[in-house]
PDB file of all heavy atoms in Angstrom:
ATOM      1  N   GLN A  74      24.161  23.105  26.237  1.00 98.00           N
ATOM      2  CA  GLN A  74      22.955  23.470  25.491  1.00 98.00           C
ATOM      3  C   GLN A  74      21.949  24.189  26.394  1.00 98.00           C
ATOM      4  O   GLN A  74      21.303  25.155  25.964  1.00 98.00           O
ATOM      5  CB  GLN A  74      22.316  22.223  24.877  1.00 98.00           C
ATOM      6  CG  GLN A  74      23.078  21.656  23.695  1.00 98.00           C
ATOM      7  CD  GLN A  74      23.228  22.655  22.558  1.00 98.00           C
ATOM      8  OE1 GLN A  74      22.252  23.285  22.134  1.00 98.00           O
ATOM      9  NE2 GLN A  74      24.452  22.822  22.086  1.00 98.00           N
ATOM     10  N   ILE A  75      21.815  23.729  27.622  1.00 98.00           N
ATOM     11  CA  ILE A  75      20.906  24.396  28.556  1.00 98.00           C
ATOM     12  C   ILE A  75      21.417  25.807  28.853  1.00 98.00           C
ATOM     13  O   ILE A  75      20.635  26.769  28.908  1.00 98.00           O
ATOM     14  CB  ILE A  75      20.757  23.584  29.848  1.00 98.00           C
ATOM     15  CG1 ILE A  75      20.167  22.193  29.545  1.00 98.00           C
ATOM     16  CG2 ILE A  75      19.878  24.319  30.849  1.00 98.00           C
ATOM     17  CD1 ILE A  75      18.805  22.230  28.884  1.00 98.00           C
ATOM     18  N   GLU A  76      22.717  25.955  29.028  1.00 98.00           N
ATOM     19  CA  GLU A  76      23.284  27.283  29.259  1.00 98.00           C
ATOM     20  C   GLU A  76      23.074  28.188  28.053  1.00 98.00           C
ATOM     21  O   GLU A  76      22.711  29.366  28.197  1.00 98.00           O
ATOM     22  CB  GLU A  76      24.773  27.164  29.588  1.00 98.00           C
ATOM     23  CG  GLU A  76      25.050  26.557  30.955  1.00 98.00           C
ATOM     24  CD  GLU A  76      26.530  26.330  31.215  1.00 98.00           C
ATOM     25  OE1 GLU A  76      27.292  26.100  30.244  1.00 98.00           O
ATOM     26  OE2 GLU A  76      26.938  26.376  32.392  1.00 98.00           O
ATOM     27  N   ALA A  77      23.296  27.646  26.856  1.00 98.00           N
ATOM     28  CA  ALA A  77      23.145  28.446  25.634  1.00 98.00           C
ATOM     29  C   ALA A  77      21.701  28.884  25.417  1.00 98.00           C
ATOM     30  O   ALA A  77      21.440  29.929  24.804  1.00 98.00           O
ATOM     31  CB  ALA A  77      23.636  27.647  24.427  1.00 98.00           C
ATOM     32  N   SER A  78      20.742  28.103  25.924  1.00 98.00           N
ATOM     33  CA  SER A  78      19.327  28.428  25.729  1.00 98.00           C
ATOM     34  C   SER A  78      18.903  29.673  26.501  1.00 98.00           C
ATOM     35  O   SER A  78      17.929  30.326  26.146  1.00 98.00           O
ATOM     36  CB  SER A  78      18.455  27.250  26.173  1.00 98.00           C
ATOM     37  OG  SER A  78      18.441  27.129  27.591  1.00 98.00           O
ATOM     38  N   GLY A  79      19.623  29.979  27.584  1.00 98.00           N
ATOM     39  CA  GLY A  79      19.203  31.084  28.444  1.00 98.00           C
ATOM     40  C   GLY A  79      18.021  30.745  29.322  1.00 98.00           C
ATOM     41  O   GLY A  79      17.423  31.643  29.940  1.00 98.00           O
ATOM     42  N   LEU A  80      17.658  29.458  29.416  1.00 98.00           N
ATOM     43  CA  LEU A  80      16.522  29.043  30.234  1.00 98.00           C
ATOM     44  C   LEU A  80      16.747  29.433  31.691  1.00 98.00           C
ATOM     45  O   LEU A  80      17.810  29.191  32.255  1.00 98.00           O
ATOM     46  CB  LEU A  80      16.346  27.517  30.126  1.00 98.00           C
ATOM     47  CG  LEU A  80      15.212  26.899  30.946  1.00 98.00           C
ATOM     48  CD1 LEU A  80      13.845  27.366  30.449  1.00 98.00           C
ATOM     49  CD2 LEU A  80      15.294  25.361  30.886  1.00 98.00           C
ATOM     50  N   ARG A  81      15.730  30.045  32.279  1.00 98.00           N
ATOM     51  CA  ARG A  81      15.753  30.423  33.693  1.00 98.00           C
ATOM     52  C   ARG A  81      14.571  29.778  34.404  1.00 98.00           C
ATOM     53  O   ARG A  81      13.577  29.412  33.779  1.00 98.00           O
ATOM     54  CB  ARG A  81      15.694  31.951  33.840  1.00 98.00           C
ATOM     55  CG  ARG A  81      16.901  32.651  33.267  1.00 98.00           C
ATOM     56  CD  ARG A  81      16.743  34.147  33.152  1.00 98.00           C
ATOM     57  NE  ARG A  81      16.639  34.809  34.459  1.00 98.00           N
ATOM     58  CZ  ARG A  81      16.683  36.133  34.614  1.00 98.00           C
ATOM     59  NH1 ARG A  81      16.826  36.929  33.543  1.00 98.00           N
ATOM     60  NH2 ARG A  81      16.592  36.675  35.809  1.00 98.00           N
ATOM     61  N   GLY A  82      14.695  29.625  35.701  1.00 95.00           N
ATOM     62  CA  GLY A  82      13.666  28.953  36.475  1.00 95.00           C
ATOM     63  C   GLY A  82      12.304  29.600  36.311  1.00 95.00           C
ATOM     64  O   GLY A  82      12.175  30.821  36.400  1.00 95.00           O
ATOM     65  N   ARG A  83      11.298  28.785  36.085  1.00 93.00           N
ATOM     66  CA  ARG A  83       9.929  29.267  35.886  1.00 93.00           C
ATOM     67  C   ARG A  83       9.104  29.218  37.165  1.00 93.00           C
ATOM     68  O   ARG A  83       7.921  29.520  37.144  1.00 93.00           O
ATOM     69  CB  ARG A  83       9.228  28.436  34.807  1.00 93.00           C
ATOM     70  CG  ARG A  83       9.919  28.422  33.440  1.00 93.00           C
ATOM     71  CD  ARG A  83      10.107  29.820  32.884  1.00 93.00           C
ATOM     72  NE  ARG A  83      10.407  29.824  31.461  1.00 93.00           N
ATOM     73  CZ  ARG A  83      11.477  30.388  30.913  1.00 93.00           C
ATOM     74  NH1 ARG A  83      12.370  30.999  31.699  1.00 93.00           N
ATOM     75  NH2 ARG A  83      11.661  30.367  29.612  1.00 93.00           N
ATOM     76  N   GLY A  84       9.734  28.844  38.275  1.00 83.00           N
ATOM     77  CA  GLY A  84       8.986  28.737  39.518  1.00 83.00           C
ATOM     78  C   GLY A  84       8.858  30.037  40.273  1.00 83.00           C
ATOM     79  O   GLY A  84       8.086  30.132  41.228  1.00 83.00           O
ATOM     80  N   GLY A  85       9.625  31.052  39.896  1.00 77.00           N
ATOM     81  CA  GLY A  85       9.501  32.327  40.595  1.00 77.00           C
ATOM     82  C   GLY A  85      10.781  33.128  40.626  1.00 77.00           C
ATOM     83  O   GLY A  85      10.795  34.310  40.317  1.00 77.00           O
TER      84      GLY A  85
END
Side-chain angles (χ1 to χ4, degrees):
Q74 287 301 311
I75 299 301
E76 289 175 331
S78 72
L80 179 66
R81 296 169 66 170
R83 302 303 196 236

